[in-house]
Amino acid sequence: MLVVLGSVAVAAAFAVDEAVGVLGVAAVGWVALWRSARRLSVSSAPPPPPLAAPSGDEYAVESTRVREVRQGPGEGMTIFPVIEYVTDQDAPGEVTS
């Protein structure tokens, strides 16, 4: 039913003047686009999934030592830290026998 009413309104606008019909269709399109963009805001997006714990007994930790520094586009720099792998056997505070 809504499609029929919309078609009648568009036909009436074009019957009055072709420019009125074109401007009316363009205006309706812009309003629909604006409403659609307003509905898809960032706050309505679902939150990201929680980070999963590492599997097994090996964990990666970042040290304060730097492995490499690269200059990016513009004035930015990317710093790559040295990654050390720690197993449960090397965990501090545990006594291994």
Side-chain angles (χ1 to χ4, degrees):
M1 183 68 179
L2 190 60
V3 174
V4 173
L5 290 175
S7 299
V8 169
V10 169
F14 274 101
V16 171
D17 189 14
E18 187 176 333
V20 172
V22 170
L23 290 174
V25 170
V28 169
W30 278 108
V31 169
L33 180 65
W34 179 76
R35 288 191 64 202
S36 175
R38 294 280 308 215
R39 233 181 276 150
L40 297 175
S41 66
V42 175
S43 62
S44 66
L51 297 175
S55 61
D57 57 351
E58 192 171 276
Y59 298 89
V61 295
E62 293 182 358
S63 68
T64 56
R65 295 181 293 153
V66 175
R67 174 176 51 99
E68 181 180 0
V69 177
R70 290 186 193 166
Q71 184 171 0
E75 298 180 13
M77 302 288 257
T78 304
I79 300 172
F80 296 94
V82 174
I83 297 175
E84 299 173 357
Y85 292 98
V86 180
T87 62
D88 282 346
Q89 296 169 353
D90 297 334
E94 286 190 11
V95 178
T96 57
S97 49

